[in-house]
């Protein structure tokens, strides 16, 4: 009568009891499942290749299933391995969240803080951030990662980063913003340009100027294009995109290839050492950008990050920016 249930396997009552797997074994298996290569997996988690192979074998014995199919040329996940790889990732993420909760509860401003910063902010604000951390949070292990906005947001969502310093608004679900300041954009041009030195440049001047912008992927490029569209610049107006960073962009301006927009915090660093450049300021209200911290909504360290933001607002008052009032609690 039981022949109709071909897909159901009876329990093996004589099978030895399984043992509880260790976190080290789960991390080893997760690394192999991701890289499908023992040497690369071992390097990724800082384990020797023999130790990693032994950990996976021990895990297979503990669970009573074969997870990996080893061949002479490559590593494959068995059907059971494919099923359990996802479960393993969930377990490891839960353990990481547990450790984060425990670390935050233990003491604020201690342990590791992985801060992501965009390239158009990092060189100009990091000195202030680092000085604040050194003076007021000596027990905080600050680790800085400079990446473009999309990569930073991916890292925040995945738990690779804890806090971001970047231009907003982001409009990303699950991300909370802690505003720090607003800053004006300044027009940078050759020394003898007819707009050089002016403090009342109308935005409409951007309609026909040969404009140099950063490469695709930089939020500053998108902000500059938005400013130009608001000024009435048409799609056909010349825009040259050849620079991966602001330093290169400014050198292109000095070489006579066009003009560009710089945030005020970048102005001194990028133009002070070049006599071939001139600057001009826009008439009120000048185009601006807002810089903020961003964190995962509901982060266990949310209160700590709010306090850090308040301290940063105070530290940034000497900069050429308009510090934003603290958001309501």
């Amino acid at each position: 009568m039981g022949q109709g249930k071909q897909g159901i396997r009876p329990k093996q009552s004589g099978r030895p009891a399984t043992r509880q797997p260790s976190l080290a074994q789960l991390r080893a298996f997760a690394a192999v499942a991701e890289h499908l290569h023992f040497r690369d997996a071992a390097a990724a988690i800082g384990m020797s290749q023999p130790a990693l192979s032994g950990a996976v074998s021990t895990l297979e014995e503990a669970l009573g299933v074969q997870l990996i199919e080893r061949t002479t040329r490559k590593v494959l996940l068995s059907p059971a391995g494919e099923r359990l790889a996802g479960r393993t990732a969930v377990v490891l993420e839960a353990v990481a969240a547990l450790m984060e909760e425990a670390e935050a509860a233990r003491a604020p401003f201690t342990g590791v803080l992985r801060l992501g910063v965009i390239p158009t902010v990092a060189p100009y604000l990091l000195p202030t951030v680092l000085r604040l951390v050194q003076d007021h949070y000596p027990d905080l292990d600050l680790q800085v990662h400079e990446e473009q906005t999309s990569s930073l947001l991916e890292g925040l969502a995945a738990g690779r980063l804890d806090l971001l310093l970047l231009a907003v608004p982001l409009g990303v679900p699950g991300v909370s913003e802690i505003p720090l300041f607003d800053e004006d954009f300044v027009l940078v041009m050759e020394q003898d340009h007819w707009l050089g030195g002016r403090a009342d440049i109308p935005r409409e001047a951007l309609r026909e100027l040969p404009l140099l912008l950063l490469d695709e992927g930089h939020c500053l490029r998108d902000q500059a294009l938005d400013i130009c569209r608001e000024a009435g610049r048409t799609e056909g107006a010349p825009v040259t995109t050849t620079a991966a960073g602001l330093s290169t962009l400014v050198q292109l301006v000095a070489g006579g290839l066009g003009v560009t927009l710089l945030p005020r915090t970048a102005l001194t660093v990028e133009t002070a050492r070049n006599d071939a450049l001139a600057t001009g300021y826009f008439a009120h209200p000048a185009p601006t950008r807002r810089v903020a911290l961003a964190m995962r909504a509901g982060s266990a360290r949310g209160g700590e990050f709010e306090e850090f933001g308040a301290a940063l607002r105070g530290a940034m008052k000497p900069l050429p920016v308009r510090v934003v009032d603290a958001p309501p609690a």
Side-chain angles (χ1 to χ4, degrees), residues 103 110-114 139-143 162 301 304:
E103 184 177 355
T110 60
V112 175
L113 173 57
R114 297 163 296 181
D139 296 325
L140 190 64
D141 180 10
L142 183 66
Q143 300 177 1
D162 305 309
R301 303 174 72 179
E304 177 184 344

Side-chain angles (χ1 to χ4, degrees), residues 12-19 60-65:
Q12 301 177 9
S13 58
R15 180 180 173 182
T18 57
R19 299 190 302 274
E60 290 176 319
E61 294 175 5
L63 297 177
V65 293

